[in-house]
């Protein structure tokens, strides 16, 4: 669906495109807006919630009653991310994504983005603001972007919908993304659940996945406190890309240290990571009492091409 809004610089209208490539999760047919619903030609209909998101996760695609991150984790992540500790991550992601746009065909008018496992929407909203503002400055009114944020957690999507009403926020699964086949240019997956067959189905040929994964040193100070001398590292799954028909075309690290001087934010960090659940009682209690900590942020950005 195309909407029109006034260009803030006052020269000409800028087109804002709400995603038009959503698919019915039951039969894969295109979904179109009709009154306050998304409907497919076979009559399946999905309400647009009061907060502006749509739930496209049918009960038969659910593996638990309340899948994905809990409300508590979502609140913790929002508070932590809003405090700017990961702004360099968002900047790097925007930089890599922008550089990928140069691969677009010069006649291509719309670029479709999907953030797969978008959580509470911090990164997609950040990128939206940078790219749309830049587009306006360059007066590229004919090069539009379409934005989908997908997450299996309803509390995460409810929260994301508060950040930005120009993005199509969808409750759904990366296993069966409710998006038309061969319709997405760029998938982002930031610490998300990577499901290559699901991604491959919806990506255009030559489309890209941008993965952000933890590097070896990520949050090592926190892990040392939680697990003492146990060596626990997260597994990087981008190495599985080749066997799934993708080729790694770029790989960039991001490494920095940042100090957290606030017990609430340390709690938020712990709550938003799997360490909270993996930690034993003592490790969790010690961490929850910390008043300050310097953490290493070590992330790896990989770009995979759909061959
Ligand atoms: C570690 S969080 C990362 C969230 C966000 N990308 C960020 O970095 O702020 C992982 C997210 O993946 C979501 N998730 C888990 N399984 C999923 C699935 N099958 N499909 C879509 N999202 C999923 C969780 O609900 C959670 O929001």
């Amino acid at each position: 669906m195309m909407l029109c809004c006034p260009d803030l610089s006052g020269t000409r209208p800028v087109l804002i495109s709400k995603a038009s490539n959503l698919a019915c999760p039951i039969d894969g047919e295109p979904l179109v807006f009709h009154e306050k619903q998304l409907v497919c030609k076979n009559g399946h209909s999905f309400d647009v919630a009061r907060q502006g998101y749509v739930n496209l996760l049918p009960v038969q695609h659910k593996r638990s009653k309340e899948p994905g991150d809990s409300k508590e984790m979502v609140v913790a992540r929002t508070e932590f991310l809003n405090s700017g500790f990961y702004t360099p991550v968002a900047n790097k992601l925007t930089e890599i994504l922008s550089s990928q746009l140069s691969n677009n065909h010069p006649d291509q008018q719309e670029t479709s983005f999907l953030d797969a496992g978008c959580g509470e929407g911090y990164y997609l909203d950040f990128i939206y603001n940078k790219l749309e503002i830049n587009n306006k400055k360059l007066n590229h009114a004919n090069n539009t972007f379409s934005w989908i944020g997908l997450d299996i957690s309803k509390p995460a999507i409810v929260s994301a919908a508060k950040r930005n009403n120009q993005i199509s926020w969808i409750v759904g699964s990366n296993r069966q993304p409710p998006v038309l086949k061969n319709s997405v240019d760029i998938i982002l997956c930031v610490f998300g659940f990577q499901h290559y067959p699901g991604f491959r189905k919806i990506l255009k040929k030559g489309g890209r996945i941008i993965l952000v994964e933890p590097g070896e040193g990520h949050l090592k100070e926190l892990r040392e406190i939680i697990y003492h001398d146990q060596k626990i590292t997260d597994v990087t799954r981008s190495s599985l890309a080749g066997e799934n028909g993708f080729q790694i075309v770029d790989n960039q690290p991001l490494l920095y240290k940042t100090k957290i001087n606030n017990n609430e934010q340390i709690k938020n960090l712990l709550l938003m990571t799997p360490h909270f659940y993996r930690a034993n009682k003592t490790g969790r209690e010690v961490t929850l009492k910390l008043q300050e900590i310097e953490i290493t942020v070590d992330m790896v950005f990989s770009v995979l091409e759909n061959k």
Side-chain angles (χ1 to χ4, degrees):
M1 185 177 63
M2 301 296 266
L3 303 167
C4 222
C5 79
D7 178 2
L8 298 180
S9 64
T11 45
R12 59 173 139 150
V14 171
L15 293 171
I16 294 173
S17 160
K18 273 241 175 188
S20 55
N21 56 337
L22 292 170
C24 176
I26 297 164
D27 56 23
E29 292 294 335
L31 286 172
V32 292
F33 281 99
H34 180 69
E35 296 179 353
K36 288 182 180 160
Q37 289 189 318
L38 282 174
V39 291
C40 81
K41 71 171 193 193
N42 295 324
H44 301 121
S45 62
F46 306 88
D47 292 344
V48 179
R50 181 173 43 84
Q51 298 92 334
Y53 71 91
V54 184
N55 191 336
L56 297 181
L57 185 68
V59 73
Q60 60 270 34
H61 290 181
K62 281 185 168 188
R63 297 182 166 205
S64 63
K65 194 161 170 264
E66 292 177 355
D69 281 9
S70 65
K71 191 169 178 189
E72 197 185 23
M73 291 174 83
V74 169
V75 170
R77 182 169 292 118
T78 302
E79 288 187 9
F80 186 83
L81 293 174
N82 283 350
S83 301
F85 296 109
Y86 281 4
T87 305
V89 181
N91 277 324
K92 178 92 182 165
L93 192 55
T94 311
E95 186 194 303
I96 291 179
L97 186 139
S98 304
S99 73
Q100 292 305 314
L101 293 177
S102 57
N103 294 318
N104 280 358
H105 190 276
D107 295 338
Q108 182 172 344
Q109 297 205 333
E110 185 173 280
T111 305
S112 163
F113 300 121
L114 170 82
D115 187 349
C118 64
E120 49 70 71
Y122 171 76
Y123 293 107
L124 197 60
D125 174 55
F126 186 98
I127 297 168
Y128 174 97
N129 286 314
K130 293 270 170 154
L131 258 63
E132 292 288 359
I133 286 168
N134 199 34
N135 220 13
K136 277 182 199 169
K137 268 200 215 141
L138 298 172
N139 244 334
H140 284 171
N142 292 328
N143 290 334
T144 58
F145 300 127
S146 116
W147 306 83
I148 301 174
L150 179 73
D151 201 285
I152 204 163
S153 154
K154 188 172 154 196
I157 289 296
V158 169
S159 187
K162 293 184 195 144
R163 285 197 184 270
N164 188 323
N165 65 9
Q166 297 302 324
I167 293 173
S168 298
W169 299 108
I170 305 295
V171 179
S173 175
N174 290 357
R175 286 178 200 278
Q176 300 103 345
V179 177
L180 296 178
K181 286 181 188 161
N182 309 317
S183 70
V184 177
D185 293 282
I186 297 181
I187 293 177
L188 306 173
C189 190
V190 185
F191 282 60
F193 171 69
Q194 297 165 17
H195 193 268
Y196 290 112
F199 293 168
R200 200 166 156 76
K201 211 159 106 185
I202 60 170
L203 262 184
K204 292 179 186 171
K205 193 110 184 109
R208 309 264 161 134
I209 306 178
I210 304 177
L211 293 180
V212 184
E213 299 178 284
E216 266 203 11
H218 190 53
L219 304 181
K220 66 179 161 66
E221 301 81 357
L222 195 70
R223 287 190 274 123
E224 275 159 18
I225 295 170
I226 297 175
Y227 306 113
H228 303 285
D229 51 359
Q230 274 176 275
K231 194 168 162 32
I232 297 203
T233 45
D234 291 305
V235 184
T236 304
R237 302 190 71 240
S238 49
S239 48
L240 301 176
E243 49 199 79
N244 284 281
F246 290 93
Q247 185 187 347
I248 301 186
V249 291
D250 193 13
N251 200 265
Q252 298 185 32
L254 175 73
L255 184 67
Y256 64 93
K257 284 184 185 272
T258 183
K259 197 160 188 167
I260 311 177
N261 296 316
N262 175 321
N263 173 261
E264 274 307 307
Q265 292 295 12
I266 298 170
K267 281 188 196 160
N268 288 333
L269 176 61
L270 184 63
L271 255 176
M272 69 185 238
T273 66
H275 301 304
F276 184 75
Y277 300 96
R278 284 187 201 152
N280 64 24
K281 190 165 174 272
T282 321
R284 199 180 304 152
E285 277 172 7
V286 172
T287 315
L288 289 174
K289 284 188 191 137
L290 288 174
Q291 294 301 322
E292 62 168 45
I293 187 170
E294 185 174 56
I295 54 162
T296 299
V297 178
D298 176 2
M299 297 195 186
V300 182
F301 294 70
S302 313
V303 181
L304 318 182
E305 184 179 339
N306 186 15
K307 284 285 169 194

